[in-house]
Amino acid sequence: MKSNPLINRTLLYMKFAKVVSRLAERCGISEQEALDVFYKSLTYNYLSNLKGNLHNMGVDYIVDEILLEMNARNEADGFLQL
């Protein structure tokens, strides 16, 4: 993670936990499965590298981004959307 004095890593990690919990809730999956989805997403990469100011967005916005990413990936693979 890039060093940025304006962002406290602890707060960012707490946001990760909230995103995973909300993703599990919205998708009806376990938090372990949601954690796997989160860590494999481009959204996680952007968050952890502080790209695009995504870390400043709310939990629901970030979850929506992950869901959009999942839907785009599923469409590319020929699967149904969530």
Side-chain angles (χ1 to χ4, degrees):
M1 185 177 307
K2 293 180 182 178
S3 180
N4 185 331
L6 300 176
I7 299 171
N8 184 321
R9 284 183 188 220
T10 303
L11 292 176
L12 188 59
Y13 295 150
M14 288 171 61
K15 183 170 276 193
F16 289 177
K18 290 176 184 177
V19 167
V20 169
S21 180
R22 188 75 46 86
L23 183 62
E25 180 183 302
R26 293 206 23 211
C27 292
I29 59 177
S30 72
E31 288 194 354
Q32 184 64 39
E33 291 170 313
L35 187 64
D36 187 53
V37 169
F38 177 66
Y39 279 134
K40 290 180 179 177
S41 71
L42 290 174
T43 304
Y44 167 73
N45 185 35
Y46 292 142
L47 279 169
S48 62
N49 290 311
L50 306 177
K51 291 183 180 178
N53 291 322
L54 191 56
H55 55 279
N56 292 326
M57 305 308 278
V59 171
D60 287 320
Y61 182 92
I62 295 169
V63 170
D64 287 343
E65 287 295 312
I66 294 169
L67 294 175
L68 287 171
E69 183 181 335
M70 289 171 60
N71 285 337
R73 193 175 302 151
N74 288 342
E75 282 181 355
D77 292 339
F79 296 110
L80 294 175
Q81 291 185 356
L82 290 176

